[in-house]
């Protein structure tokens, strides 16, 4: 089997994400495949890439997805597939999970490389990251928080999670000391399903517990510094109504304080974007329509 044929076969099983960074050249379409920069692309990806210039000219925003702690970008697969199918370019940003200022600087650099309007989405700790990363970027038209931290200057994720009772995060953590004196924190796989992903199937939750990426204790304890972008950029907040990591009262407090347009998903766990991709995409697309569509 040729490389291109194998790539196309494998790509049918994973999320396809359009990267709107530079103008591609599409060739070899007559044989049912496309190449961008010498890389073979499946048809459905090629069609999104083919329309990239149209996206920019017509002001279609890029959706940037930022994962939180104890996760990686693969959790956004279902959301990304739906957004791509609806015609949006999508970028799933890698979040280092090493420290709030450090992580925000990495996401900020990615945002600076994207042409045109952006709708920036963050889950959990990713909410704190996007609040810092978007500050001063006039291309970011809306912030969307998914069961996320929305800190004010001086607040950390740890302090916010302790503000109201109901979080199981403290009893769920499994620390791994590092050679430099830092500590990596994981959600203990034994409690990942009931505490982190109760409305996701046990099979899926088990896989997510295996592939989770740790955050340092310093990252979760580091206070936000400088102006927070939600003060100046319209925000939207999806609250997970049965969250056992960030209690719903904590999420509601942050959403109210930020003036966000808010939707509560009753019965949803902390992994609301995995268990309820339809509700997640609907809120993202509401932000797109209200903040980037000419009135």
């Amino acid at each position: 089997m040729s490389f291109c044929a194998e790539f196309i076969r494998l790509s049918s099983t994973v999320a396809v994400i359009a990267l709107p960074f530079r103008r591609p050249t599409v060739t070899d379409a007559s044989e049912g495949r496309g190449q961008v920069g010498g890389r073979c692309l499946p048809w459905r990806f090629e069609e999104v890439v083919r329309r990239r210039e149209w996206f920019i000219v017509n002001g279609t925003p890029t959706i940037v997805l930022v994962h939180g702690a104890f996760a990686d970008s693969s959790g956004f697969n279902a959301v990304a597939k739906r957004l791509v199918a609806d015609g949006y370019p999508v970028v799933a940003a890698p979040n280092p999970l090493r420290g709030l200022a450090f992580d925000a600087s990495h996401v900020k650099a990615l945002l600076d490389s994207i042409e045109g309007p952006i709708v920036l989405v963050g889950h959990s700790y990713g909410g704190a990251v996007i609040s810092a990363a978007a500050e001063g970027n006039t291309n970011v038209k809306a912030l969307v928080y998914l069961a996320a931290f929305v800190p004010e200057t001086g607040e950390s994720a740890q302090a916010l999670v302790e503000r109201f009772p109901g979080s199981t995060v403290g009893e769920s953590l499994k620390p791994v000391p590092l050679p430099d004196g830092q500590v990596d924190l994981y959600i203990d796989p034994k409690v990942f399903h009931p505490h982190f992903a109760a409305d996701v199937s046990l099979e899926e939750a088990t896989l997510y517990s295996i592939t989770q990426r740790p955050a340092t204790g310093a990252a979760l304890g580091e206070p936000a510094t400088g102006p927070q972008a939600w003060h100046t950029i319209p925000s939207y907040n999806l609250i997970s109504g049965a969250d056992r990591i960030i209690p719903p009262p904590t999420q509601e407090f942050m959403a109210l304080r930020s003036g966000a347009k808010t939707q509560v998903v009753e019965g949803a766990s902390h992994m609301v974007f995995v268990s309820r991709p339809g509700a997640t995409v609907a809120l993202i697309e509401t932000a797109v329509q209200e903040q980037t569509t000419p009135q």
Side-chain angles (χ1 to χ4, degrees), residues 5-291:
E6 177 66 4
F7 183 91
I8 292 169
R9 182 187 70 80
L10 290 173
S11 69
S12 67
T13 66
V14 299
V16 174
I17 299 175
L19 302 176
F21 296 120
R22 61 175 183 267
R23 184 172 184 170
T25 300
V26 179
T27 61
D28 207 14
S30 62
E31 295 187 27
R33 64 185 190 273
Q35 292 185 350
V36 175
R39 293 180 290 114
C40 183
L41 303 178
W43 271 109
R44 59 199 176 96
F45 195 176
E46 177 190 319
E47 286 305 307
V48 174
V49 174
R50 199 187 279 276
R51 290 181 290 167
R52 170 198 173 273
E53 188 168 319
W54 184 93
F55 288 147
I56 294 173
V57 170
N58 288 275
T60 301
T62 298
I63 314 299
V64 178
L65 307 170
V66 181
H67 67 82
F70 323 121
D72 64 15
S73 292
S74 67
F76 284 120
N77 279 359
V79 168
K81 285 180 180 179
R82 293 181 187 220
L83 290 169
V84 169
D86 287 347
Y88 296 102
V90 177
V91 177
N95 187 351
L97 306 177
R98 299 294 88 188
L100 182 53
F102 178 84
D103 299 341
S105 70
H106 277 245
V107 173
K108 182 181 186 302
L110 177 63
L111 298 176
D112 289 344
S113 74
I114 297 174
E115 298 178 63
I118 297 167
V119 170
L120 184 56
V121 182
H123 170 247
S124 192
Y125 168 78
V129 172
I130 69 171
S131 296
E135 175 60 27
N137 188 324
T138 57
N139 280 346
V140 179
K141 305 303 181 184
L143 302 169
V144 182
Y145 295 91
L146 310 174
F149 291 107
V150 189
E152 182 57 279
T153 302
E155 292 178 336
S156 67
Q158 181 179 343
L160 283 167
V161 86
E162 295 171 351
R163 189 178 185 100
F164 295 92
S167 177
T168 64
V169 69
E171 64 198 70
S172 303
L173 294 176
K174 183 176 182 179
V176 175
L178 300 176
D180 63 358
Q182 286 278 7
V183 176
D184 263 351
L185 299 175
Y186 296 79
I187 296 291
D188 190 332
K190 295 176 183 176
V191 299
F192 193 97
H193 185 223
H195 290 183
F196 202 79
D199 60 343
V200 175
S201 72
L202 177 59
E203 181 181 13
E204 270 193 295
T206 299
L207 290 174
Y208 283 120
S209 75
I210 292 169
T211 60
Q212 66 175 298
R213 291 184 54 235
T216 64
L220 300 182
E222 181 179 336
T225 58
Q228 299 300 293
W230 54 263
H231 282 288
T232 55
I233 300 174
S235 60
Y236 296 74
N237 203 306
L238 195 68
I239 294 174
S240 41
D243 200 317
R244 301 187 68 191
I245 298 297
I246 307 177
T250 303
Q251 295 182 48
E252 291 165 1
F253 162 77
M254 293 184 288
L256 180 64
R257 180 176 65 179
S258 66
K261 176 170 282 191
T262 301
Q263 179 182 344
V264 178
V265 183
E266 299 295 345
S269 74
H270 194 57
M271 293 195 82
V272 59
F273 63 104
V274 173
S275 63
R276 315 294 174 91
T280 302
V281 169
L283 188 64
I284 293 170
E285 293 187 347
T286 295
V288 169
Q289 292 157 12
E290 292 185 352
Q291 303 304 328

